[in-house]
Amino acid sequence: MQKKMIIAIDGPSGVGKSTLSRLLAHRLNYVNIDTGAMYRCVALAARRRGVDLTDEEALVRLCRGLRLEFLRNDGQERVLLDGEDVTEAIRTPENSMRTSQVSALPGVRRAMLTLQRQMGAGGGVVLEGRDIGTVVFPEAEVKIFLQADPVERARRRCAELQAKGLEVNLDQTVADVMARDAADSSREHAPLVQAEDAVAIDTTHLNIEQVLERILAVVQGQVERSGTALERTVP
Ligand code: DC
């Protein structure tokens, strides 16, 4: 039996990873795994349970006990934490900053790495994050690294939050995006870096369909080069 591919989509926040990974997974009939949402759930659970963000041991224990579920409901992806729908709650600016802090801790990353490898091991998955092509699945058949100008990424983040009825401030969002970029890129463990064999795509002046077409062309190229299966074939 041929194995379906593992597709890694890495890049900074606001670059279009979530939308593209979801569309790509839908087109290929693959499962989409949003690893950022996993770290976001750790940060939210820590706040709710009063776990200090500097207490690494307590955070690791918290990670081991978390029940995370990704559901697709009426075409919408929902994230459940211990049975509760936290899709919106994990994306507030405050939880985003806290997430940057917890995701820098090596113990937390190890716990999440184990989960992510289990979830992706069978192939037929699109994983999006910061370290998928470098650490989680360095052997992924397709690696995409998305980039975009930080001001454009902040504009996209504001539009997204506004559409959800939240108040936004562009200057503050640009500052937040740059602070998170700096934290994610400079941390000691699994920093945000482009894998040597990743294909880089700058999305600043491209719309979602144009980026999706480019990614699909990379996927198709890999299928032709290696004979990897897009669909699972019966032996
Ligand atoms: O992709 P996102 O914005 O939802 O990610 C939230 C935070 O989690 C971000 O600060 C970086 C971190 N993260 C990470 O360290 N490693 C990943 N694989 C995914 C996200």
Side-chain angles (χ1 to χ4, degrees):
M1 178 162 53
Q2 272 182 303
K3 193 175 161 284
K4 279 207 256 183
M5 280 192 259
I6 294 175
I7 301 178
I9 312 273
D10 288 305
S13 55
V15 79
K17 288 192 307 293
S18 300
T19 308
L20 284 156
S21 302
R22 201 171 51 237
L23 291 173
L24 182 65
H26 193 247
R27 278 283 274 272
L28 303 177
N29 200 20
Y30 276 25
V31 174
N32 182 31
I33 301 173
D34 177 355
T35 63
M38 296 169 78
Y39 286 104
R40 286 171 179 275
C41 283
V42 176
L44 184 67
R47 200 194 59 195
R48 289 183 172 178
R49 295 179 200 178
V51 177
D52 197 291
L53 293 192
T54 56
D55 188 346
E56 188 168 353
E57 252 179 58
L59 285 168
V60 171
R61 271 199 305 280
L62 179 98
C63 287
R64 296 211 179 104
L66 284 187
R67 195 155 54 83
L68 297 180
E69 293 164 87
F70 292 92
L71 298 182
R72 198 181 289 167
N73 225 346
D74 290 336
Q76 281 204 318
E77 311 243 335
R78 313 299 303 174
V79 183
L80 302 194
L81 169 61
D82 295 327
E84 180 194 338
D85 188 334
V86 293
T87 315
E88 272 80 38
I90 57 171
R91 300 205 177 270
T92 62
E94 192 233 343
N95 199 57
S96 301
M97 291 311 287
R98 291 167 55 85
T99 306
S100 218
Q101 260 179 282
V102 295
S103 64
L105 299 171
V108 170
R109 297 207 73 84
R110 268 195 302 277
M112 291 294 117
L113 181 68
T114 306
L115 259 182
Q116 290 157 8
R117 286 193 175 148
Q118 282 167 356
M119 291 165 101
V125 285
V126 179
L127 290 113
E128 54 149 312
R130 302 289 190 289
D131 60 341
I132 310 301
T134 48
V135 176
V136 184
F137 284 111
E139 73 282 22
E141 285 83 358
V142 172
K143 296 184 190 179
I144 305 289
F145 193 83
L146 298 177
Q147 300 160 317
D149 176 76
V151 177
E152 173 59 23
R153 289 190 279 124
R155 269 200 212 104
R156 293 177 189 169
R157 188 62 95 195
C158 280
E160 218 178 275
L161 294 170
Q162 250 168 346
K164 288 176 185 155
L166 296 170
E167 269 189 39
V168 293
N169 172 325
L170 182 61
D171 289 342
Q172 184 57 50
T173 312
V174 172
D176 285 353
V177 161
M178 294 181 89
R180 284 177 61 205
D181 279 2
D184 295 341
S185 307
S186 65
R187 69 178 176 222
E188 193 183 341
H189 302 277
L192 170 68
V193 281
Q194 182 182 332
E196 265 180 29
D197 51 350
V199 176
I201 301 176
D202 188 332
T203 74
T204 309
H205 303 295
L206 300 176
N207 64 31
I208 291 291
E209 287 72 29
Q210 289 169 321
V211 184
L212 183 62
E213 284 316 310
R214 292 196 188 189
I215 297 177
L216 284 167
V218 177
V219 170
Q220 193 52 42
Q222 175 62 20
V223 169
E224 285 162 15
R225 245 191 331 275
S226 68
T228 322
L230 259 183
E231 293 298 329
R232 199 178 289 280
T233 48
V234 181

